């Protein structure tokens, strides 16, 4: 039995340990995509030693782009230094790029965190905070063309590691990113046990989910109806806050 696996089993039986907590900090803002946040949060909170902090500018409920709110657990001012910082994306990212308290918080946390991470378009907030310069990175497929605007080099992958910076692609990629981090820190057995715990065994009813695996007419329709305009909005926001 590996040491990491033994620690994991011991923690499940006896949560009180002498090990210092591993602080996982999520920086949230109005109109985040809740699954960008809740997907990895659900998995990372089961990682041995993890203590999750949901940080926002204030303790007021933060509206998601699904129409319901999430209540932060701590303010930016009171949040401890994270061992792992994660920034989710969402429809609110273009506006959030101009939110000085958020960008300053991400910059401060990112400067000292062991791991600096994002899900989906949260990559652009990392980039605006100066944390993606010269880094290989990914984001939601609809916005990959904008990554060079924050100094990043696009790499087509679901999860991209570059040093201590980890970026995940669109939305559900956040779960894969979380499992990859857990395996990196605690071994594959621990990651597999958490994967089994949540019965994460993706078997979608349709092939697709990426431009390369989806029918071309659907890709074209999604670009024309949604992502051409949203990418232009993101580019304008990035240029305005450069």
């Amino acid at each position: 039995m590996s040491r990491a696996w033994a620690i994991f089993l011991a923690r499940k039986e006896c949560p009180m340990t002498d090990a210092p907590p591993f602080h996982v900090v999520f920086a949230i803002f109005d109109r985040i995509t809740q699954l960008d946040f809740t997907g990895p949060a659900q998995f990372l909170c089961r990682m041995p030693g993890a203590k999750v902090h949901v940080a926002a500018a204030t303790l007021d409920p933060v509206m998601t782009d699904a129409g319901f709110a999430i209540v932060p657990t701590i303010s930016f001012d009171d949040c401890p230094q994270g061992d792992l910082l994660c920034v989710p994306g969402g429809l609110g990212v273009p506006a959030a790029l101009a939110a000085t308290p958020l960008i300053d918080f991400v910059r401060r946390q990112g400067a000292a965190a062991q791991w600096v991470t994002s899900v989906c378009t949260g990559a652009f907030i990392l980039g605006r905070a100066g944390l993606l310069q010269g880094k290989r990175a990914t984001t939601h497929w609809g916005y990959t063309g904008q990554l060079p605007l924050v100094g990043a080099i696009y790499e087509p992958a679901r999860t991209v590691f570059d040093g201590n910076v980890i970026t995940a692609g669109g939305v559900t990629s956040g779960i894969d990113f979380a499992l990859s981090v857990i395996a990196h820190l605690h071994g594959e057995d621990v990651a597999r046990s958490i994967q089994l715990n949540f019965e994460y065994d993706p078997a979608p009813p349709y092939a697709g989910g990426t431009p390369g695996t989806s029918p071309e007419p659907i890709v074209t329709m999604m670009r024309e109806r949604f992502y051409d305009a949203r990418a232009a909005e993101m580019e304008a926001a990035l240029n305005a806050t450069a």
Side-chain angles (χ1 to χ4, degrees):
M1 179 184 293
S2 70
R3 183 173 182 273
W5 180 238
I7 292 171
F8 175 76
L9 292 177
R11 181 175 181 266
K12 298 298 107 178
E13 295 174 2
C14 182
M16 298 300 293
T17 68
D18 294 330
F22 183 88
H23 294 285
V24 178
V25 173
F26 287 89
I28 67 170
F29 49 90
D30 282 338
R31 301 185 75 207
I32 62 166
T33 294
Q34 62 84 21
L35 189 55
D36 284 11
F37 155 57
T38 56
Q42 187 67 67
F43 282 72
L44 290 171
C45 78
R46 299 297 176 91
M47 182 171 63
K51 181 175 178 57
V52 173
H53 306 274
V54 184
T58 72
L59 295 182
D60 294 335
V62 172
M63 188 60 65
T64 70
D65 60 17
F68 59 84
I70 292 171
V71 180
T73 62
I74 200 162
S75 70
F76 291 156
D77 289 340
D78 294 332
C79 188
Q81 173 60 50
D83 297 294
L84 184 149
L85 168 69
C86 185
V87 183
L91 297 182
V93 168
L97 291 169
T100 301
L102 170 67
I103 302 301
D104 286 348
F105 175 76
V106 170
R107 185 180 293 115
R108 289 196 309 272
Q109 286 278 327
Q114 294 178 35
W115 298 98
V116 176
T117 76
S118 66
V119 180
C120 198
T121 52
F124 294 104
I125 293 175
L126 290 187
R128 181 51 64 238
L131 300 171
L132 287 188
Q133 192 67 41
K135 296 290 186 179
R136 292 177 291 105
T138 192
T139 188
H140 186 285
W141 63 265
Y143 302 88
T144 57
Q146 283 66 53
L147 281 173
L149 295 176
V150 291
I153 303 160
Y154 171 54
E155 181 169 307
R158 195 159 168 85
T159 303
V160 174
F161 283 69
D162 190 337
N164 73 327
V165 175
I166 312 170
T167 50
V171 193
T172 59
S173 301
I175 295 174
D176 295 2
F177 136 71
L179 285 169
S180 296
V181 169
I182 293 166
H184 183 84
L185 294 176
H186 298 284
E188 189 174 302
D189 284 347
V190 173
R192 284 181 175 275
S193 70
I194 295 172
Q195 180 175 355
L196 176 61
N197 181 72
F198 291 118
E199 201 170 345
Y200 181 56
D201 183 26
Y206 310 108
T210 69
T213 57
S214 300
E216 183 56 37
I218 291 178
V219 177
T220 299
M221 178 272 292
M222 290 296 290
R223 289 191 185 278
E224 291 177 349
R225 292 191 180 182
F226 298 102
Y227 289 107
D228 286 347
R230 288 177 180 171
E233 178 189 22
M234 185 72 76
E235 186 162 335
L238 288 167
N239 288 330
T241 55

